[in-house]
Amino acid sequence: MDQLAQQLINGLSLGSIYALIALGYTMVYGIIQLINFAHGDVYMVGAYVGFASMAILGLGVFESLALAMVTCMILGVVIERVAYKPLRNSTRIAVLITAIGVSLLLEYVMLYFVGAAVRSYPPLPDYFNAQFAVGGVVISAKSLIIIGVSVALMIGLQFIVQKTRIGKAMRAVSQDADAARLMGINVDNTISFTFALGSALAGAAGVLVGIYYNTINPLMGIMPGLKAFVAAVFGGIGLIPGALIGGYFIGVTETLVSGYFSSLLQDAVVFAILILVLIFKPAGLLGKNVREKV
Amino acid sequence: MPPIVRTLLTRGVPLLALYLVVLGLIGAGIIDAYWMATLALICVNIVLAVSLNLITGFTGQFSLGHAGFMAIGAYATAIISNAVAGPAGFLGGLLAGGVLAALVGFLIGLPTLRLRGDYLAIATLGMAEIIRVVFVNLDSVTNGAAGLTVTQNMDWNWFFVLTVGSVILIRNYLRSRQGRDAIAVREDEIAAESIGVDTTRAKVMSFTIGAFFGGLGGGMYASYFYFIKPDLFGFLKSIDILVIVVLGGLGSLSGSIIAAILLALISTLLQGFTEIRMILYALLLVVIMIFRPEGLMGSRELSLNVFSRLGRRRPALATAQAAPGASEAQGKGDER
């Protein structure tokens, strides 16, 4: 029982990170129906910016988090403007291939400059390493901070999407881009803003994962990126609450599988979930089946 | 001249010449072991690229799991040809690999190809990943992550027969009624459906056939390069194949062949610089999609027919091409 509770705590920390990445996927998909394969690599860049700002600039954890978010925000907008915007009217396959190209480009340019070696995050302030024992369960302050920061960011996102003008514009464009344009919404800027928000969250996730696992490498974005996408599909792609539920579900499942069976199987289980979802409920947990129109 | 003789003359003679020239170069030692490996890679990549082009370029379904089919074919060929010596084990292994890959492709394709959009890309990606993890964990059969040594059975004769055979079979499939259904699905799925094309069937057919040849390509790879491990068939391998297809042109078989040759030469030259090669590939993908989304060849084909056109220009050619189309339409009308 204690072990289960312990695994759940670990799963929630990991799930928070997946949920942050999944939010970016789901928002971008919601607004331009693109699986942004480069999203996982934006998260990787975020982890490296956090590393550089802590190890080289000597900034604190939260300043580094903010710096990583701002850098990724800019990166996300640049990717959108340079690679995706010229393809607004192309086939979906063309945009998808471009996204894969951008993803590879980020990975290997990073590999070229920092090398393939794994780096470990600089030592954290003491309060990160505190531990509380509740019953037989050990809760580390690190996990609590990761969950806390993620939840705060998600609340902030929810506020932006639901209460601000630009959030309203995002929702309008995702419902019907043409109609939104007719209502005087600047669709291009709204799409860029969506990329900015999603990429900032991915950057935050990158720093948090550096804190959580303590190691980063240039190809670290591939797997979490794919898993976060699975999370988004699981919850219902395009839906913000779906990404949250999916992220936590995938995180907890993965931790339980590696805790009780084998860590080698965790990736296979996540993709098996994906295929099962696609077979039985392709619209995802919260999604509704929409009839397609000609 | 009867058509069959003409086909043999225009297609068979240049191919035979190619075969003999390469055979001669190998005999003379000009193509040494190093260039033979490049040649083998070109042949394997042609089979893989042409089969992925059938799925992605001609049927319009985006698959990111071709390396998974390749892995199935490679391991089936390896295990069977290690167990049964001689050409029986080798050919049986290739065939079993193709059939197994096709079976897996069918099982994955049937549920996911019904869905609109990019789900297939993700499902196939997940499938390839699952296959890789399974092969890593099946220690007793696959020797896990350490890899498996395979009896080397391939030589230039087999490469020639299998590569040319695969391309001809896929080309003929595309000219059959099913193949035209597949192209109709790519052009406009809703329109195709409304004129009575069974779109799911067309997609699943293409996907299964593509998976078969993906498995065959994997078997060819394993039998020549005689060492396989699950990591060889990861996500990046799928991307490698995709780059060939995109560069050559989505919907052009000859484009895929040209691109396979071009990229094999480039990667042979850039052998020591993996990172540079990947940066180049990545840029290639983005730049092609933005500036020339149709690839080198678009959907045009460079056919061996040029040899017959060089000889004489006859209006008979045009009518001969129009006639099968007309009789095909007739056939469709009768059946429905």
Side-chain angles (χ1 to χ4, degrees):
Chain A
M1 196 58 223
D2 282 350
Q3 201 203 342
L4 181 66
Q6 187 76 61
Q7 298 288 4
L8 280 179
I9 300 279
N10 294 343
L12 287 179
S13 318
L14 189 60
S16 309
I17 292 165
Y18 285 155
L20 284 180
I21 311 173
L23 283 169
Y25 267 117
T26 221
M27 285 193 295
V28 166
Y29 193 90
I31 209 155
I32 53 171
Q33 282 79 48
L34 161 72
I35 303 175
N36 183 12
F37 275 100
H39 196 60
D41 301 295
V42 172
Y43 147 92
M44 176 273 292
V45 172
Y48 270 91
V49 172
F51 172 82
S53 110
M54 276 190 243
I56 300 168
L57 301 178
L59 294 176
V61 176
F62 293 101
E63 292 92 324
S64 305
L65 189 73
L67 187 64
M69 287 177 73
V70 172
T71 315
C72 288
M73 193 182 268
I74 297 167
L75 178 66
V77 174
V78 169
I79 291 173
E80 195 270 328
R81 284 281 150 116
V82 174
Y84 302 151
K85 192 159 170 252
L87 295 168
R88 213 42 61 75
N89 296 319
S90 312
T91 56
R92 285 167 70 158
I93 246 181
V95 193
L96 216 52
I97 292 171
T98 312
I100 290 179
V102 173
S103 159
L104 288 175
L105 193 64
L106 288 177
E107 282 160 20
Y108 284 89
V109 167
M110 190 55 110
L111 202 60
Y112 186 72
F113 284 112
V114 304
V118 170
R119 279 160 203 265
S120 42
Y121 250 51
L124 298 164
D126 285 339
Y127 59 90
F128 272 89
N129 300 319
Q131 292 187 326
F132 317 99
V134 182
V137 185
V138 181
I139 303 174
S140 67
K142 208 153 82 172
S143 304
L144 290 181
I145 292 174
I146 289 174
I147 298 174
V149 169
S150 313
V151 170
L153 288 173
M154 290 168 198
I155 293 172
L157 175 75
Q158 197 65 9
F159 176 78
I160 293 177
V161 173
Q162 298 296 338
K163 301 287 180 196
T164 60
R165 275 175 70 87
I166 186 82
K168 207 177 211 172
M170 280 170 62
R171 284 180 287 144
V173 173
S174 77
Q175 267 187 13
D176 190 330
D178 290 331
R181 188 175 284 120
L182 291 176
M183 295 297 118
I185 293 172
N186 186 333
V187 171
D188 282 336
N189 282 353
T190 310
I191 293 174
S192 292
F193 184 75
T194 309
F195 270 87
L197 271 186
S199 305
L201 293 178
V207 177
L208 292 180
V209 93
I211 294 171
Y212 185 63
Y213 283 132
N214 205 16
T215 57
I216 56 173
N217 71 69
L219 300 181
M220 65 187 268
I222 302 176
M223 261 303 143
L226 294 177
K227 285 178 186 166
F229 181 77
V230 175
V233 172
F234 178 84
I237 190 128
L239 302 166
I240 289 178
L244 295 183
I245 297 173
Y248 282 109
F249 177 80
I250 296 289
V252 170
T253 312
E254 195 182 313
T255 329
L256 291 181
V257 168
S258 69
Y260 286 100
F261 298 100
S262 151
S263 59
L264 285 172
L265 285 178
Q266 62 186 32
D267 295 351
V269 168
V270 172
F271 288 112
I273 291 177
L274 170 76
I275 290 178
L276 290 178
V277 170
L278 289 183
I279 293 174
F280 293 110
K281 201 158 181 348
L285 204 59
L286 304 181
K288 293 189 191 72
N289 272 319
V290 186
R291 296 293 302 168
E292 43 186 285
K293 288 166 280 188
V294 179
Chain B
M1 205 164 19
I4 180 83
V5 178
R6 204 170 72 211
T7 312
L8 276 180
L9 277 179
T10 56
R11 306 237 160 77
V13 170
L15 281 173
L16 197 68
L18 173 73
Y19 168 74
L20 290 175
V21 165
V22 175
L23 200 65
L25 289 177
I26 294 171
I30 297 172
I31 295 187
D32 53 7
Y34 180 75
W35 284 104
M36 186 59 211
T38 305
L39 188 63
L41 196 66
I42 289 175
C43 289
V44 170
N45 281 348
I46 287 177
V47 173
L48 292 169
V50 164
S51 56
L52 182 65
N53 207 343
L54 170 65
I55 299 172
T56 301
F58 287 96
T59 318
Q61 306 304 309
F62 194 35
S63 165
L64 282 176
H66 225 55
F69 299 133
M70 205 186 156
I72 295 178
Y75 271 95
T77 308
I79 292 163
I80 294 178
S81 66
N82 281 354
V84 184
F90 160 59
L91 288 180
L94 283 179
L95 193 66
V99 170
L100 264 177
L103 191 68
V104 172
F106 178 75
L107 290 177
I108 292 290
L110 201 56
T112 44
L113 283 167
R114 284 179 304 133
L115 306 169
R116 219 27 89 75
D118 321 315
Y119 286 114
L120 183 73
I122 299 301
T124 47
L125 200 161
M127 174 210 69
E129 203 53 39
I130 293 174
I131 291 171
R132 197 179 63 79
V133 173
V134 166
F135 283 156
V136 169
N137 285 294
L138 270 180
D139 275 334
S140 54
V141 191
T142 63
N143 199 20
L148 203 60
T149 315
V150 192
T151 328
Q152 193 179 20
N153 278 312
M154 291 293 281
D155 54 17
W156 166 241
N157 300 331
W158 282 118
F159 271 122
F160 181 79
V161 170
L162 290 171
T163 308
V164 172
S166 304
V167 173
I168 291 177
L169 282 177
I170 289 178
R171 171 184 160 281
N172 285 353
Y173 173 74
L174 285 167
R175 296 197 171 178
S176 73
R177 192 183 132 191
Q178 278 79 12
R180 295 194 193 281
D181 281 359
I183 295 171
V185 168
R186 173 193 69 185
E187 291 298 322
D188 189 330
E189 197 166 338
I190 294 167
E193 205 166 1
S194 72
I195 55 162
V197 174
D198 185 343
T199 52
T200 304
R201 185 168 175 277
K203 287 189 278 186
V204 173
M205 278 280 271
S206 291
F207 191 64
T208 310
I209 293 173
F212 176 87
F213 286 103
L216 183 72
M220 288 163 65
Y221 179 90
S223 307
Y224 183 80
F225 292 95
Y226 65 86
F227 175 73
I228 50 173
K229 56 178 183 174
D231 284 354
L232 287 176
F233 309 108
F235 183 50
L236 284 180
K237 189 73 209 175
S238 298
I239 299 294
D240 266 2
I241 308 169
L242 182 70
V243 173
I244 299 174
V245 174
V246 171
L247 177 67
L250 290 164
S252 168
L253 291 182
S254 42
S256 287
I257 296 171
I258 293 170
I261 297 171
L262 211 63
L263 286 178
L265 293 178
I266 291 178
S267 49
T268 304
L269 294 176
L270 289 178
Q271 211 154 37
F273 312 92
T274 322
E275 284 140 31
I276 302 271
R277 185 174 73 101
M278 290 312 295
I279 294 176
L280 201 71
Y281 272 26
L283 279 176
L284 212 57
L285 277 181
V286 177
V287 170
I288 289 176
M289 277 302 126
I290 294 178
F291 295 106
R292 196 175 162 78
E294 69 272 27
L296 283 181
M297 298 286 292
S299 55
R300 273 162 304 160
E301 295 286 2
L302 188 69
S303 159
L304 290 174
N305 263 337
V306 287
F307 291 102
S308 69
R309 287 203 199 116
L310 286 179
R312 74 197 101 175
R313 302 181 124 197
R314 288 200 310 189
L317 205 82
T319 50
Q321 270 171 356
S327 64
E328 189 177 299
Q330 191 76 43
K332 255 183 205 173
D334 288 346
E335 219 167 290
R336 305 245 157 130

